[in-house]
Amino acid sequence: MAETATAITIRPARTEDVSALCAFLNEIIRIGGTTAHETPFTDETVVSHFLAGPGFVSCFVAEDGSGQPCAFQGLERAHGLPEGWADIGTFARPHAKLPGAGTALFAATKAHARDAGFEAINATIRADNIGGLAYYSKMGFVDYKVDKAVPLKDGRAVDRISKRYLF
């Protein structure tokens, strides 16, 4: 476990985290505008998507000073990506965000991906997710592709910007 000066602890996700991660992931989906996920998760789908699915690589959790999960970051092998690439997703509870959690999460994810032999990490972000685009740029990701006018469930079309982090 690594702990930062701001009382953020980063550790691998555990099954006892699932309900908390599911709750704030579903709140993010309900609020809208910052994730490509549009269908709410259940505890079971959080496990299969982020902790144990066929493409699972890693999932790290950031804990706040009271030991509660405040953010998480998953890494998976995804269809359509080149060999040696992994796909990343980062989620923080919408309220009471903890400054530095995203940076600390990416340090752990990046080290794990490098040690596992990955060549690159892909992040695909909705164009209307200004915060997400800024976060990945701050972490060193660079734009390499735009998928134009990807339809949402409600019929709106939103571009998806793909950024990559190369080792």
Side-chain angles (χ1 to χ4, degrees), residues 97-113:
K97 290 188 179 180
L98 195 57
T103 300
L105 280 168
F106 187 61
T109 297
K110 179 174 60 174
H112 183 85

Side-chain angles (χ1 to χ4, degrees), residues 1 15 47 53 97 111 124 153 158 162:
M1 276 195 283
T15 55
V47 170
K97 290 188 179 180
T124 300
K153 281 179 144 181
V158 178
S162 292

